[in-house]
Amino acid sequence: MNDISEILRALLDQYARTSEVENEFSRMMDNDPQLKEDYNLWCDEMGYDVKTGFQDFIDEQMQDRDEFWEDLNE
């Protein structure tokens, strides 16, 4: 089983914009039926809607990173 959280974190580290992450992850799922199935299970386990799950996760990750830097700068 693919670790969707880890894949999305790696894409966030690789791409500068969340739209690029979204495009790459969508492309990956289009090319890999197992990844898409794992994503659907991940959404169910995490309580995300399948249509917006990866974006919701990305938003949470970005907020966590912002909070980390804010705390570090205080």
Side-chain angles (χ1 to χ4, degrees):
M1 181 171 173
N2 293 291
D3 185 341
I4 303 301
S5 298
E6 205 49 46
I7 291 169
L8 290 172
R9 283 187 198 102
L11 290 173
L12 276 170
D13 290 342
Q14 185 177 356
Y15 294 99
R17 291 180 280 174
T18 57
S19 62
E20 293 174 315
V21 173
E22 180 179 350
N23 291 338
E24 179 61 17
F25 188 64
S26 293
R27 185 196 65 72
M28 290 169 66
M29 284 197 303
D30 288 343
N31 293 328
D32 185 347
Q34 182 62 51
L35 179 62
K36 190 169 189 170
E37 184 178 325
D38 291 345
Y39 171 72
N40 290 334
L41 289 171
W42 177 81
C43 284
D44 188 49
E45 290 172 2
M46 299 293 286
Y48 292 126
D49 181 85
V50 173
K51 291 184 179 183
T52 61
F54 62 90
Q55 186 61 52
D56 293 340
F57 180 81
I58 289 168
D59 291 345
E60 290 172 7
Q61 293 297 302
M62 296 304 288
Q63 183 178 359
D64 288 348
R65 288 180 183 193
D66 289 345
E67 289 173 2
F68 170 80
W69 287 110
E70 287 172 9
D71 289 346
L72 190 62
N73 288 326
E74 288 181 358

